[in-house]
Amino acid sequence: MSPLFRRKAAPQERLVTLIRKPGCHLCDDAQAVIEKVCGELGVSWEGRDTTEDRALHDQYWEQIPVVLVDGEQHTFWRVDEGRLRRALSG
């Protein structure tokens, strides 16, 4: 469908997923940004652990942390607060 005709999702309909692993300082940094932005915008977020999901590990092991917005890869390694905010607001 053309972007012109897509319905803009309300914040409560959005979902940010942080794919991470234990002991990862970049993952901790990413989570802090996600908590801040999602909290301010009223967007839900979830964390997924690659040590508990083999498919996630196989897909993302060299990009951790990975951030998905509504199931689509948004970024990896470092999360830019402004870029995430724009993706969730626009």
Side-chain angles (χ1 to χ4, degrees), residues 8-83:
K8 187 175 176 181
Q12 62 272 20
E13 296 173 334
R14 311 298 304 267
L15 177 63
V16 174
T17 303
L18 172 61
I19 300 171
R20 61 172 298 150
K21 66 180 180 178
C24 168
H25 73 281
L26 290 177
C27 299
D28 295 339
D29 294 346
Q31 183 170 330
V33 173
I34 291 167
E35 286 176 344
K36 178 181 180 186
V37 173
C38 289
E40 291 173 359
L41 298 177
V43 174
S44 297
W45 76 275
E46 66 179 358
R48 306 277 308 275
D49 186 338
T50 60
T51 64
E52 297 175 1
D53 186 322
R54 184 67 188 181
L56 286 178
H57 177 271
D58 291 348
Q59 185 172 1
Y60 297 115
W61 70 273
E62 63 184 1
Q63 295 179 337
I64 297 300
V66 175
V67 177
L68 309 178
V69 173
D70 299 329
E72 298 291 324
Q73 187 168 340
H74 171 73
T75 194
F76 61 97
W77 293 338
R78 301 233 181 244
V79 180
D80 180 88
E81 181 179 334
R83 183 169 178 258

